[in-house]
Amino acid sequence: MQSSRRAVLALAAASLFSFAAQAQTWPAKPIRLIVPFPAGGGTDIIARELANKLTTYGYTFVVDNKPGSGGNLGVDAAAKAAPDGYTLVLGQTSNLAINPTLYPRLPYDPLKDFTPVSLVASSPLVIVAGQATPYKTLADVIKVAKAKPDAINYASSGNGTVAHLAAESLQKAADVKFTHIPYKGATQGATDVIGGQVQLYFSTVTTLLPHIRSGKMRPLAVTSLQRVHDLPQVPTVAESGYRGFESISWFAVSGPANLPKEVVTKLNADINKALRDPELKQKLANQGAEVTGGTPEQFAKLLREEIPRWGKLVKDSGARID
């Protein structure tokens, strides 16, 4: 009996020693950073810019695009990975705060299955029209939508995403109805808007800014309360007649539950150091994103607040994915 107890205690001590030794030498090999959306979208751009900056601090990252099921596939893969610090995920509002309500059988729990590491950035959405459309302002869109319900279609990066719920909120505020065309990621929808198959697109500034700058899309409004630095001529939805309207997408690094504290502390410190770097701040600003950062505890608090807030929007919209 005593020998069995000693064996269990020895095994526990060995495990603790292993974790402590690993934390001291971490990272000793490349870190897999899962992006739960296709390459080229806003989440992917932010992940790669952050990873590139962290390589200057001695890290090596392999960015792994794992899209599908509204981001759930990639996030779930991170939740089920070994808690050794070598698998992380850049999650965001959709898959961490919205999907718990949207999907009745979500394979992970954002509050229980992850270790919060750090917020990274936030980005408002921008509503754009294809150049082939006649729409020059948001008021033009609303006018047509009131006269012809469902005649205007719009793209989003998927059912229940921030973009989809922002569009639902706008329709409710303006008392109009659009036809929703969900895509599996941000880049596919952009192709069809540019090609004229879709009239409007709701997506992050990070995703659509290059297309706006190239003249392939016409910006109508942004969903932040203040105008975006790189789109100063574009009014907010609130300025366009819908006071108080706001919809922001945030991005954050998480790991599987039970990451060693030493790993979280080091990674959080280095991410925040990277986010203070003027070069990275400018690169993200050029993509329409604003750096945030902060402690793991601040990220955890935000998540606890965001899940019920977005959950109400999901329920009000009637969106549901089985």
Side-chain angles (χ1 to χ4, degrees):
M1 187 78 173
Q2 289 181 344
S3 61
S4 296
R5 186 179 295 113
R6 283 196 297 270
V8 170
L9 291 173
L11 181 62
S15 297
L16 288 173
F17 177 79
S18 176
F19 270 119
Q22 173 186 302
Q24 289 175 0
T25 59
W26 182 90
K29 62 181 181 179
I31 298 169
R32 177 191 183 200
L33 178 58
I34 297 175
V35 174
F37 292 103
T43 307
D44 180 68
I45 291 170
I46 290 172
R48 292 178 188 275
E49 292 290 5
L50 177 64
N52 287 340
K53 176 54 64 175
L54 288 174
T55 59
T56 65
Y57 305 157
Y59 293 85
T60 300
F61 282 95
V62 176
V63 177
D64 181 8
N65 294 94
K66 196 173 181 64
S69 189
N72 293 344
L73 291 181
V75 176
D76 187 46
K80 291 178 170 55
D84 56 9
Y86 291 104
T87 300
L88 304 170
V89 62
L90 187 68
Q92 40 104 290
T93 311
S94 292
N95 41 60
L96 293 178
I98 294 174
N99 288 0
T101 305
L102 184 69
Y103 290 80
R105 292 186 292 273
L106 196 68
Y108 57 85
D109 184 326
L111 296 176
K112 295 179 180 179
D113 295 338
F114 295 93
T115 302
V117 176
S118 180
L119 288 163
V120 174
S122 65
S123 178
L125 306 180
V126 58
I127 306 169
V128 300
Q131 287 292 357
T133 71
Y135 310 123
K136 301 293 192 298
T137 66
L138 186 59
D140 294 339
V141 173
I142 300 302
K143 181 178 179 180
V144 172
K146 283 184 178 294
K148 300 177 181 179
D150 292 314
I152 295 176
N153 58 32
Y154 77 93
S156 80
S157 55
N159 284 313
T161 58
V162 175
H164 176 205
L165 295 181
E168 290 292 327
S169 296
L170 177 60
Q171 290 172 84
K172 184 176 181 180
D175 192 24
V176 295
K177 185 65 178 175
F178 305 142
T179 297
H180 180 210
I181 303 177
Y183 288 80
K184 292 183 179 180
T187 54
Q188 297 95 325
T191 299
D192 283 356
V193 172
I194 293 169
Q197 290 88 357
V198 181
Q199 295 166 290
L200 303 179
Y201 199 180
F202 287 68
S203 192
T204 60
V205 173
T206 310
T207 299
L208 300 186
L209 193 56
H211 302 299
I212 294 170
R213 286 173 171 162
S214 69
K216 295 177 181 178
M217 294 180 180
R218 185 183 304 123
L220 306 180
V222 294
T223 62
S224 49
L225 290 177
Q226 289 81 35
R227 295 194 180 195
V228 175
H229 178 268
D230 287 289
L231 295 172
Q233 77 284 7
V234 181
T236 66
V237 173
E239 288 176 316
S240 302
Y242 305 96
R243 186 176 179 181
F245 188 99
E246 182 182 30
S247 186
I248 300 292
S249 187
W250 46 259
F251 308 84
V253 173
S254 295
N258 302 313
L259 280 184
K261 183 178 179 181
E262 294 84 355
V263 169
V264 175
T265 299
K266 175 176 171 52
L267 186 58
N268 175 268
D270 286 340
I271 288 175
N272 278 275
K273 178 182 176 182
L275 295 175
R276 290 191 296 270
D277 182 87
E279 181 184 15
L280 180 60
K281 290 177 71 172
Q282 187 59 52
K283 285 183 176 180
L284 294 184
N286 290 344
Q287 300 295 333
E290 180 180 351
V291 301
T292 48
T295 66
E297 292 75 20
Q298 288 171 326
F299 173 21
K301 180 176 183 292
L302 175 72
L303 191 56
R304 289 193 299 270
E305 295 170 347
E306 288 281 89
I307 289 174
R309 185 175 80 85
W310 285 102
K312 183 179 185 304
L313 289 173
V314 172
K315 292 173 181 176
D316 290 346
S317 74
R320 179 184 175 89
I321 299 177
D322 296 320

